[in-house]
Amino acid sequence: GQQLNQSPQSMFIQEGEDVSMNCTSSSIFNTWLWYKQDPGEGPVLLIALYKAGELTSNGRLTAQFGITRKDSFLNISASIPSDVGIYFCAGQLATGNQFYFGTGTSLTVIP
Amino acid sequence: NAGVMQNPRHLVRRRGQEARLRCSPMKGHSHVYWYRQLPEEGLKFMVYLQKENIIDESGMPKERFSAEFPKEGPSILRIQQVVRGDSAAYFCASSPPRGQAKNIQYFGAGTRLSVL
């Protein structure tokens, strides 16, 4: 299956700081999704991206579909304690319906 | 998570028993995916189904595990003769048919299986 490399694996930041994480693939994807998972819950969809270069925001979250179509980025501005959780990227190839998931970035926000 | 319903939320089984996990996709979604997640780990793809068809089961263990998505009713993930190593969170996700809507996937809240 497709391998998505997500980095960093974990982050410890101070409240108010900005956060950046990324996801890279060896294949070209035509859809990128970003999810957040809280402990004991299922992943919740944050942002969906469909075009190379696309930049989409959801409140303090901004995600970008990389120009090469092999990567995607998620930024969180002015982090707050409730941003704590695990963030997953997911990509879909041009054909087929399966989504391939990154290994996750664990975010800890220190008040 | 709105719309994808999984039950039960928690399931306790003794070794050797069978576990049945159910998933009802979002309205209008005809594609269902099952994932397994161990504590502190990512989502591991198990199987992808459309109504009455298994499309990709490359992530499914060869023995004891099976999945179905009948014409009527929810998708079922069945684990026979459970062992302690089957203890995990099992998530179901659904997506609309490709081309009929934006490519997207929504998750249920998961079933946490504990094998005693």
Side-chain angles (χ1 to χ4, degrees):
Chain A
Q2 298 293 324
Q3 295 287 335
L4 293 190
N5 296 311
Q6 193 170 343
S7 66
Q9 189 174 4
S10 61
M11 302 181 74
F12 293 81
I13 61 168
Q14 292 287 141
E15 183 177 358
E17 288 184 352
D18 295 344
V19 173
S20 290
M21 61 188 78
N22 69 77
C23 204
T24 60
S25 167
S26 57
S27 299
I28 291 175
F29 285 141
N30 75 337
T31 299
W32 284 98
L33 306 176
W34 283 93
Y35 292 87
K36 177 179 183 248
Q37 185 178 27
D38 292 328
E41 299 295 330
V44 174
L45 183 66
L46 299 173
I47 293 177
L49 302 160
Y50 300 104
K51 291 182 185 177
E54 181 181 353
L55 193 68
T56 298
S57 292
N58 178 5
R60 293 177 296 104
L61 277 63
T62 301
Q64 184 165 23
F65 194 134
I67 300 258
T68 65
R69 296 173 64 192
K70 291 184 176 182
D71 53 12
S72 181
F73 309 88
L74 177 69
N75 296 311
I76 305 173
S77 63
S79 58
I80 58 178
S82 63
D83 290 334
V84 166
I86 302 177
Y87 292 80
F88 290 101
C89 62
Q92 188 184 51
L93 297 169
T95 58
N97 269 70
Q98 190 178 143
F99 288 85
Y100 301 92
F101 279 80
T103 49
T105 294
S106 174
L107 178 62
T108 301
V109 179
I110 303 166
Chain B
N1 291 349
V4 180
M5 303 301 294
Q6 286 189 252
N7 67 82
R9 286 294 306 269
H10 301 275
L11 182 61
V12 179
R13 285 288 178 265
R14 296 191 181 278
R15 281 180 296 169
Q17 291 183 322
E18 178 179 282
R20 282 196 182 201
L21 289 63
R22 288 177 290 277
C23 170
S24 295
M26 280 186 73
K27 187 177 180 180
H29 286 192
S30 56
H31 300 255
V32 165
Y33 311 77
W34 286 93
Y35 298 85
R36 177 162 63 177
Q37 187 177 41
L38 295 171
E40 311 299 324
E41 292 190 11
L43 296 155
K44 293 285 169 69
F45 168 77
M46 297 181 74
V47 61
Y48 157 41
L49 310 102
Q50 293 178 23
K51 285 281 187 182
E52 300 184 281
N53 280 311
I54 296 175
I55 306 303
D56 182 350
E57 55 181 349
S58 58
M60 196 96 102
K62 294 286 185 275
E63 296 178 351
R64 303 188 298 108
F65 285 72
S66 62
E68 62 177 11
F69 189 15
K71 188 176 179 182
E72 301 290 337
S75 175
I76 306 285
L77 179 67
R78 183 185 291 115
I79 311 172
Q80 296 177 302
Q81 299 175 329
V82 296
V83 300
R84 289 221 173 101
D86 296 334
S87 296
Y90 292 84
F91 291 99
C92 167
S94 73
S95 68
R98 196 174 189 119
Q100 291 191 14
K102 290 273 194 183
N103 299 333
I104 210 151
Q105 193 176 77
Y106 292 101
F107 280 82
T111 294
R112 276 137 192 92
L113 172 65
S114 297
V115 180
L116 304 179

